[in-house]
Every structure is written in structure tokens, then in C-alpha cells.
């Protein structure tokens, strides 16, 4: 069997290192041809030595030079910056591009891979949040297949196999509830950054861990699901499930609920995408139901998680609203991680940005959309530039309020 060639964007992050662990387990099956990282160049150098890719991308020219000076692999092509990333995504010899970059920073490269007709294992949810409709129509025209890595979407994807989409009543995304699921709202004013970074079930990067604490992560996932599974927001529900064993469910019209279960380990959904439609005998800790004993489900308390509501509203509103919210959230979470604001300020600032967006959306349209001179000014994302402009507008508004 021909080994599957993999491009891994964001190879030193949480998704990237999990993917490489799978490659390490199945060297006869997978083979890395390209890697990228933004900052951790020393880790990337170790990955290059182990996996011998043909092409790598780093953040800056200086980092690229450092790699060239330190790596003795003659045929290695080193590129850098966003252009380099787009080049790697579209040009590296590859059967599957693992899009593991966090945030809006992953949008252009993911789009470039879709444009080039590459199959994608999509972990970068912002791609769908910022430009879901655009990405899907491009994928339909180039034949690019998008496989969802995000554990919830991967679970839904698996639960849809063999079923007709017209029989779906709703999909239910499970949420751990993050570190504050048992904290009464009255005590939220005492939350510290260290508390927020302590996720009960998953080990992830800092940005997504904070998004889990606010449940913005779940909100972005609702938007992602809306596009990936082509369902209106009203057919998407969120339930708190503290064990993170049921990764999500599909409810069908005859009363059947189909779910995917497993221990919270990202290697399982990543391996499903890598081997799709087959499965590999992955060495991961396996679920023991008798040991788990009980599974709990409870409703979301809206007052504790205003960010979820904001994202649902943005999803409902459509157009540029999700991109604006995402940009603002990335700026605000960054400020929070740097200790500039309190946990409760995250949702306060985002609410203010979205309120301003709704009031100002006419002027935003004129600022943002290339064809704003037309009479029917679109409140839609028609290009990657539109998506990034809307995201940028959200960031700027948040930055103004952070001052
Ligand atoms: Mg998830």
C-alpha cells in the first residue's frame, strides 16, 4: 500500500503533536511531507530530524535562517510567513492537509489547500466560523473533502455514516462546561487566570482552554457545525456533559439518538480523519464503561456562559457577524491571558463589540466589502479578504474597549 502523504500545519501545537504521535505508531501507513509552526522552531527542528519532511514553514525570515543553519537535510525546502504557509498548504506533495493552526491565522492556508483540491483534516474551527459558506462552495468545486477533527464534529460525522440527512431532527453538541461548571455565578468575580487555565477533562492550548471556560469554544463549534452539516442553528443544541465521554450525538426523526463515545483523547478523532474511511488499531487508553459507571447530562445555565449566547446570536445573524465576534474574542482572550482584564470582562467587552456591530453594521459593510458600491450591499462573506476584514474590525473594536 502507498503511504499516505501528510501536510501538518501547526505541527508543534496540540493537534500537530497528536497527529505526529499517530504517524509514529503507523510509519508503514503515514508519511509526513510538510510541517509548519510559528514560534517553536527548536521543536520543529526535532520533528524535521525525526520525520524528514520535504518542506517546512516557520513564522519569520530569521527563524528560516536559523533552521537552514541548524538542519543538515539537503533537500529540505524552508519557507516562512503567511505566503510560505499558503505555499506549503497548496504546493507540498500531500494526500491530506491537517489544518491544526489555532485562530484566524489558519484561514488563508486552509483556504489555499481547499482551492488546490487537497483533502483536509480540519481542526481550525475558525475557518468555518469566518468563512464557512465560502470554504464549502470552494470545496464543492475543487473536490476537496473536509473531514472534521474537532471531537464534537468528528463524533457527529461518525454518527451520520449510513443515515440520510433528511432524517436528522437535531444534532446535540456536548460541552464539558469547563472549570467553572460547579462554580456559582455569584463567585465568578473571584476567578483567577490560573483557575481558568485548569480544564477538567482536556489538555489543550491556552486560547482554547479559556474559550472552554467561557464556552465561547462551544459557540464557535455551533457555527462550525451549522456549516459542516448544513443545518440551521435552531437544529443544533448544546448540553453539558461533565465526563466528556459522549463526544456528541445526532437525534433522528424516529426517536433514535446515535452517539460516538470514547475517552477524551484527540488522537482518536485525528486518526479517524487520517485513515478515513478505514480505522487503525490505535494505541490509546480505551474506554471502560463499568469503570466510568455514570454519565451526567445537564442544561447550560445561560447567565454563567453569556459568550455561548453571543455566538448563537452571531450564528443566527450570519453574514459577517461570526467573523466579527471571533476577531474580538481572539483580541480579548489574548488580553486576558496577559493579565490585562478580569474573566468577567471577556463577555462584557464582546457584548459591547457585538452591540456596536449591530448598530454600525451599515458602515461596517461599506468599510469591509469590496462591492459595497452596489445597491444590495451584502452582509455576507464573499472572499477571504472580507472574512479577514470583518475579523480585523472585531479586533479593533475590542482593542478600543480594552484601552
Ligand atoms: Mg471541540
Amino acid at each position: 500500500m502507498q503511504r499516505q502523504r501528510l501536510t501538518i500545519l501547526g505541527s508543534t501545537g496540540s493537534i500537530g503533536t497528536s497527529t505526529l504521535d499517530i504517524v509514529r505508531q503507523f510509519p508503514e501507513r503515514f508519511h509526513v511531507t510538510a510541517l509548519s509552526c510559528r514560534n517553536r522552531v527548536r521543536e520543529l527542528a526535532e520533528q524535521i530530524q525525526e520525520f524528514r519532511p520535504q518542506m517546512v514553514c516557520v513564522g519569520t525570515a530569521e527563524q528560516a535562517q536559523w533552521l537552514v543553519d541548524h538542519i543538515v537535510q539537503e533537500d529540505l525546502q524552508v519557507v516562512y510567513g503567511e505566503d510560505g504557509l499558503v505555499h506549503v498548504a497548496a504546493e507540498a506533495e500531500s494526500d491530506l492537509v491537517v489544518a491544526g493552526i489555532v485562530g484566524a491565522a489558519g484561514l488563508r492556508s486552509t483556504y489555499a489547500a481547499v482551492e488546490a483540491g487537497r483533502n483536509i483534516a480540519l481542526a481550525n474551527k475558525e475557518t468555518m466560523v469566518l468563512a464557512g459558506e465560502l470554504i464549502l462552495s470552494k470545496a464543492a468545486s475543487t473536490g476537496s473533502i473536509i473531514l472534521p477533527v474537532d471531537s464534537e464534529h468528528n463524533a457527529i460525522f461518525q454518527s451520520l455514516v449510513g443515515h440520510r440527512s433528511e432524517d436528522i431532527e437535531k444534532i446535540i453538541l456536548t460541552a464539558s462546561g469547563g472549570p467553572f461548571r460547579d462554580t456559582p455565578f455569584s463567585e465568578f468575580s473571584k476567578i483567577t487566570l490560573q483557575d481558568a487555565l485548569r480544564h477538567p477533562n482536556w489538555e489543550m492550548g491556552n486560547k482554547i482552554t479559556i474559550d472552554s471556560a467561557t464556552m465561547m469554544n462551544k459557540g464557535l463549534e455551533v457555527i462550525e457545525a451549522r456549516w459542516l452539516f448544513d443545518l440551521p442553528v435552531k437544529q443544533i443544541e448544546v448540553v453539558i456533559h461533565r465526563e466528556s465521554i459522549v463526544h456528541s450525538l445526532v437525534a433522528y426523526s424516529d426517536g433514535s439518538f446515535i452517539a460516538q463515545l470514547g475517552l477524551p483523547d484527540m488522537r482518536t478523532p485525528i486518526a479517524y480523519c487520517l485513515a478515513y474511511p478505514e480505522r487503525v488499531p490505535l494505541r490509546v487508553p480505551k474506554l471502560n464503561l463499568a469503570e466510568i459507571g455514570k454519565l451526567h447530562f445537564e442544561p447550560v445555565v445561560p447567565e454563567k456562559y453569556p459568550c455561548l449566547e453571543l455566538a448563537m446570536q452571531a450564528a443566527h445573524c450570519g453574514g459577517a457577524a461570526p467573523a466579527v465576534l471571533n476577531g474580538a474574542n481572539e483580541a480579548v482572550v489574548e488580553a486576558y491571558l496577559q493579565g490585562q482584564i478580569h474573566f468577567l470582562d471577556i463577555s462584557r467587552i464582546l457584548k459591547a463589540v457585538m452591540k456596536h456591530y449591530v448598530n454600525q453594521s451599515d458602515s461596517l459593510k461599506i468599510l469591509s466589502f469590496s462591492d459595497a458600491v452596489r445597491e444590495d450591499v451584502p452582509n455576507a462573506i464573499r472572499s477571504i479578504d472580507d472574512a479577514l476584514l470583518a475579523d480585523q474590525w472585531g479586533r479593533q473594536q475590542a482593542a478600543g474597549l480594552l484601552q
Side-chain angles (χ1 to χ4, degrees):
M1 190 171 74
Q2 276 273 347
R3 288 194 297 171
Q4 177 157 260
R5 299 166 301 174
L6 302 178
T7 292
I8 306 175
L9 305 179
S11 69
T12 57
S14 152
I15 295 293
T17 52
S18 295
T19 306
L20 289 172
D21 188 57
I22 300 166
V23 176
R24 215 175 266 129
Q25 288 191 32
F26 303 97
E28 71 297 339
R29 184 155 183 150
F30 306 114
H31 161 54
V32 173
T33 49
L35 296 170
S36 92
C37 84
R38 188 168 51 177
N39 288 318
R40 298 181 209 156
V41 189
R42 278 163 205 279
E43 281 173 61
L44 181 70
E46 285 167 22
Q47 294 178 347
I48 293 168
Q49 272 172 349
E50 183 179 357
F51 295 99
R52 322 273 319 159
Q54 299 162 357
M55 203 186 274
V56 295
C57 180
V58 289
T60 65
E62 293 72 36
Q63 291 169 340
Q65 189 56 51
W66 186 90
L67 267 188
V68 171
D69 293 343
H70 287 80
I71 298 286
V72 275
Q73 184 187 320
E74 299 228 320
D75 58 347
L76 181 68
Q77 196 186 334
V78 182
V79 295
Y80 64 89
E82 182 146 58
D83 291 346
L85 201 58
V86 164
H87 177 76
V88 167
E91 302 297 333
E93 283 178 25
S94 155
D95 302 302
L96 185 72
V97 175
V98 178
I101 292 173
V102 175
L107 180 62
R108 272 195 205 280
S109 52
T110 309
Y111 187 71
V114 171
E115 239 180 345
R118 304 282 188 221
N119 292 341
I120 315 281
L122 185 72
N124 177 258
K125 64 191 67 169
E126 291 79 5
T127 298
M128 285 294 149
V129 172
L130 266 69
E133 195 169 15
L134 185 69
I135 297 272
L136 291 178
S137 72
K138 182 54 81 179
S141 73
T142 64
S144 157
I145 297 170
I146 298 177
L147 302 164
V149 168
D150 210 348
S151 61
E152 295 79 1
H153 305 76
N154 189 272
I156 291 163
F157 189 68
Q158 293 195 41
S159 303
L160 288 170
V161 173
H163 302 278
R164 302 189 314 159
S165 57
E166 52 268 51
D167 297 331
I168 301 172
E169 197 168 271
K170 62 186 173 187
I171 60 179
I172 303 164
L173 300 177
T174 54
S176 69
F180 308 128
R181 60 194 180 199
D182 297 321
T183 310
F185 181 62
S186 58
E187 284 174 28
F188 269 36
S189 59
K190 296 180 205 149
I191 288 171
T192 67
L193 177 58
Q194 286 89 323
D195 298 335
L197 283 172
R198 216 173 288 134
H199 194 279
N201 302 0
W202 293 95
E203 260 190 57
M204 304 176 290
N206 283 349
K207 196 274 178 176
I208 191 166
T209 302
I210 299 304
D211 284 348
S212 294
T214 61
M215 278 185 85
M216 177 58 87
N217 183 53
K218 207 53 51 182
L220 298 179
E221 287 179 357
V222 169
I223 304 171
E224 185 186 10
R226 181 255 172 279
W227 292 118
L228 280 174
F229 307 113
D230 191 22
L231 285 173
V233 182
K234 64 177 193 309
Q235 273 174 275
I236 306 173
E237 264 180 34
V238 175
V239 69
I240 291 192
H241 166 46
R242 58 178 54 235
E243 290 86 4
S244 296
I245 296 294
V246 176
H247 295 310
S248 279
L249 317 85
V250 180
Y252 290 98
S253 52
D254 64 355
S256 295
F257 284 56
I258 310 277
Q260 185 257 357
L261 283 70
L263 289 176
D265 187 324
M266 283 310 291
R267 288 174 298 179
T268 297
I270 296 170
Y272 184 78
C273 294
L274 261 50
Y276 178 82
E278 298 173 10
R279 291 180 191 265
V280 286
L282 191 65
R283 289 195 303 277
V284 282
K286 301 279 163 78
L287 182 61
N288 180 330
L289 284 173
E291 214 169 81
I292 300 266
K294 286 181 185 165
L295 296 174
H296 296 82
F297 300 92
E298 52 203 294
V300 178
V301 178
E303 101 182 311
K304 283 171 66 173
Y305 300 107
C307 288
L308 175 62
E309 181 59 29
L310 274 174
M312 299 287 256
Q313 283 169 4
H316 198 75
C317 183
V324 168
L325 179 64
N326 180 72
N329 182 57
E330 285 193 23
V332 173
V333 170
E334 181 61 36
Y336 179 63
L337 285 169
Q338 287 172 11
Q340 292 172 24
I341 53 169
H342 185 266
F343 186 77
L344 286 171
D345 295 328
I346 298 175
S347 61
R348 281 190 198 126
I349 294 172
L350 294 178
K351 240 184 230 170
V353 171
M354 292 317 285
K355 197 166 170 229
H356 187 52
Y357 166 69
V358 173
N359 294 338
Q360 296 289 310
S361 53
D362 282 334
S363 63
L364 173 70
K365 285 171 205 162
I366 291 167
L367 280 173
S368 302
F369 299 108
S370 41
D371 52 357
V373 286
R374 287 166 38 161
E375 280 300 301
D376 57 334
V377 180
N379 182 21
I381 302 291
R382 300 187 172 210
S383 69
I384 293 300
D385 286 339
D386 285 347
L388 291 170
L389 275 165
D391 178 275
Q392 198 57 42
W393 188 88
R395 272 169 215 275
Q396 282 161 358
Q397 296 303 312
L401 291 166
L402 280 163
Q403 298 275 310

